[in-house]
Amino acid sequence: MNHQIFIDGDQGTTGLDLQNRLRGSEFRIHTLPAHERKNAAARRAALNACDIAILCLPDAAARDAVAMIENPSVRVIDASSAHRTSPGWVYGLPELDAQQGERIASASRVTNPGCYPTAAVALLRPLTDAGLLPADYPLAIHAVSGYSGMGRAGAQAHEAGAGAHSLQVYGLALEHKHVPEIETYARLAARPIFVPAYGSYRQGIVLTIGLHLRMLPSGVSGLRIHECLAERYRGAAHVHVRPMSPAEPVIELDPQVHNGSNDMSLAVACNERTGQVVLSAVLDNLGKGAAGAAVQNLRWMAGALRPTP
């Protein structure tokens, strides 16, 4: 394996983390020197000379980069949100279903999932597929990310103490750009309420979704929901479902537990007396939520992970 990989946008939080994860790997990594990063001709040449381009750019710049590619053999992983629901792009969540890894492996255009949607879709898609969660259920999704989710400039400002808060809730206009992605890949028929926040720690996400058993199909219980998730991700290398038992109740969540890895853990907490369930996911927003996922997709596309997800 001797694939040449060009990282466009290598100095952002995702680009820098991606380089760290690929350092010493079997891939040949190419980036542009500082004086050429905004040179359109240099970018165009690099984009058309590589085997796989990984775009770690703002949405508009990612669209421009794709438009520059004229070489039909160049394949793309876009870590921005520019193409998350675009026709012709394969969603880069290998655990989405049993065939998604192979779709990624053969794709020319792969869109890396968003950090929040990775968690939400992983929790919800198995339940909608199994008929345990109605597609029109009125969902409210809450999540807290480390401040690195603000991007490099935002993270630097936070660390410098400029307007730093211990917790900053945002997205209250209810127009967050990740919502259509969650709707599409979780197979929802009703737009969920999504309320994200930034915490005063650098990286890691905890996302929670509350459910009322009385609003679910007859016979659905917390245990049945847990069994569905456990079955869906049995054997998955990077998605782990925490045990559910009275002896090991889920009573707290540490958003930083998977930092530095490409892992994500899912959990189900249930109070049978009140008929309430809380689904939760924990992942590194720079790992399974960004650069780690890009490396996982890269290995699928390069053939290193076939046929096991």
Side-chain angles (χ1 to χ4, degrees):
M1 185 185 302
N2 197 26
H3 295 82
Q4 177 156 312
I5 311 302
F6 172 54
I7 302 174
D8 195 4
D10 59 288
Q11 292 303 299
T13 51
T14 299
L16 290 168
D17 196 56
L18 181 60
Q19 291 177 81
N20 287 333
R21 290 171 186 267
L22 290 174
R23 189 168 288 117
S25 72
E26 68 273 29
F27 299 105
R28 291 181 291 129
I29 307 302
H30 175 57
T31 60
L32 291 177
H35 68 280
E36 291 188 339
R37 286 179 193 139
K38 295 185 178 180
N39 183 315
R43 287 181 64 214
R44 185 183 299 272
L47 285 163
N48 284 281
C50 66
D51 295 306
I52 301 176
I54 305 180
L55 312 180
C56 303
L57 301 164
D59 289 5
R63 293 187 186 97
D64 290 343
V66 173
M68 291 180 182
I69 299 173
E70 299 166 341
N71 182 346
S73 67
V74 173
R75 305 167 76 191
V76 178
I77 299 172
D78 182 8
S80 82
S81 62
H83 299 101
R84 298 263 171 83
T85 59
S86 297
W89 287 75
V90 173
Y91 195 55
L93 182 62
E95 299 88 0
L96 185 67
D97 62 33
Q99 291 77 44
Q100 194 68 6
E102 287 298 330
R103 295 187 191 105
I104 293 167
S106 60
S108 63
R109 298 287 185 269
V110 172
T111 175
N112 229 45
C115 53
Y116 294 127
T118 294
V121 172
L123 288 167
L124 297 170
R125 175 64 177 267
L127 306 185
T128 55
D129 281 354
L132 302 184
L133 178 70
D136 62 352
Y137 189 100
L139 292 166
I141 302 170
H142 301 267
V144 181
S145 170
Y147 61 79
S148 59
M150 293 187 282
R152 184 178 179 183
Q156 289 176 338
H158 182 96
E159 290 170 350
H165 302 281
S166 58
L167 183 72
Q168 181 179 357
V169 178
Y170 67 104
L172 293 177
L174 302 179
E175 292 286 354
H176 197 284
K177 65 181 181 179
H178 284 169
V179 173
E181 181 184 348
I182 295 171
E183 280 187 277
T184 298
Y185 296 106
R187 292 182 170 170
L188 302 178
R191 182 182 177 90
I193 293 173
F194 175 52
V195 182
Y198 292 126
S200 60
Y201 57 96
R202 188 172 191 278
Q203 64 196 80
I205 285 177
V206 59
L207 178 144
T208 57
I209 305 171
L211 301 174
H212 294 277
L213 292 176
R214 62 182 172 77
M215 298 176 67
L216 301 181
S218 177
V220 176
S221 63
L223 181 59
R224 179 69 189 92
I225 289 171
H226 181 270
E227 290 172 347
C228 178
L229 294 175
E231 178 59 31
R232 183 66 157 256
Y233 299 113
R234 183 168 288 116
H238 297 290
V239 180
H240 314 286
V241 180
R242 292 178 56 173
M244 181 184 180
S245 71
E248 294 184 80
V250 178
I251 56 174
E252 60 183 29
L253 297 166
D254 178 1
Q256 303 177 84
V257 70
H258 292 308
N259 283 2
S261 78
N262 190 47
D263 291 341
M264 174 169 59
S265 59
L266 311 180
V268 179
C270 180
N271 185 316
E272 297 290 351
R273 183 185 64 80
T274 63
Q276 295 170 315
V277 171
V278 172
L279 311 177
S280 63
V282 175
L283 71 159
D284 181 353
N285 57 292
L286 297 181
K288 186 63 171 162
V295 172
Q296 187 180 3
N297 288 323
L298 175 61
R299 293 191 180 283
W300 270 104
M301 294 171 77
L305 284 180
R306 301 176 76 176
T308 303

